Amino acid sequence: MTSDEEMIERLRGAERTVDVQPSGDLWAGVRARVPGERRRRVARRAAPAVACAVAAAGIAAGLTLAGGTGKASLAPADLPPAPRITRLQPVTFTPDEAAHLVVECLQSGPGPADPARFQPGGLTVWAAARDVTGATVILSNPSTFVDCDVPADAAGRLDIDGAYVYSWGTGHDAMPRTDLELEHASGSHGIGGGFGGRLGAGFGSGPGDSRTVHDCGGRVSARVVRVTATTPSGEIVEVPIQDGKVVVRTLQIDPPEPGPRPGEPGFEDFRRNNPTLFDDWYQANRPVVRAYDRDGRLLAATKVG
């Protein structure tokens, strides 16, 4: 029989022969797995954020993702074209030019006017603005406003001898009661025959090239810092503010008037019998004038004449 002391001594000997130290391969595997697991945890947290960022970048760039075949394709989004913007330029005249202009406008005929036949009637230049085809000049006296068109020649110079009156009206040059008041000699008329053409001649070589000037004068309040005129086709005209005064001038291609044209047989009868038809045509082709404050807020909007 083995005594207790012998049993203890035998177990101690067996303990000394056992090696429980982990192998090098085991530690290398542990070290390799730890970083990989960390990367997988980071990837799981980052994946939603990356997907959101990619989607936002695609939207900002105007791109859309298209699938269906297992592959993603990028297509540019349809964007509307930017509107065409033109800028009217304010026009000033020397005293001699202004006196000459008034007489020429009152004559409204070809060639130089005879000062002895056409008296100014107290009319002076109220304000004027121009584009490449010519200038709209508003003349005024204490009770009248007159719209005078001054065509430009091929070199872009204003041809005062070719000036003519298109419309006129009564009124007083008082400060505006609202932010935008257009009530001074507004109207519309055709231009043509190349630069320097006369009323109703058509602007180009054929009827499809005929263009119409829509114009008017008015005043804006001190709150207004920007005025624009938008044509029915979407073109925008920047209108200068001249000491609270504005002269609006747009050049556009209007569709043919309904019925006979002025001077053609049946014109008067057609207009008298179809007032709504003609008014609808006229309203559809009038440019819209808008006034903005210094923060870009729309203060007022109205149509020309």
Side-chain angles (χ1 to χ4, degrees), residues 233-286:
S233 62
E235 296 182 1
I236 297 175
V237 177
E238 296 280 353
V239 180
I241 300 174
Q242 307 173 62
D243 192 24
K245 304 172 183 177
V246 291
V247 176
V248 178
R249 176 185 175 94
T250 65
L251 180 66
Q252 58 195 62
I253 299 177
D254 289 345
E257 299 177 16
R261 303 294 300 273
E264 294 179 347
F267 168 76
E268 294 297 339
D269 289 341
F270 182 85
R271 293 294 171 84
R272 184 169 51 252
N273 296 328
N274 299 276
T276 302
L277 181 63
F278 178 75
D279 186 63
D280 290 345
W281 173 88
Y282 182 69
Q283 295 292 334
N285 292 291
R286 293 163 63 196

Side-chain angles (χ1 to χ4, degrees), residues 41-51:
R41 287 198 297 269
V42 171
R44 284 194 293 270
R45 290 194 296 266
V50 172

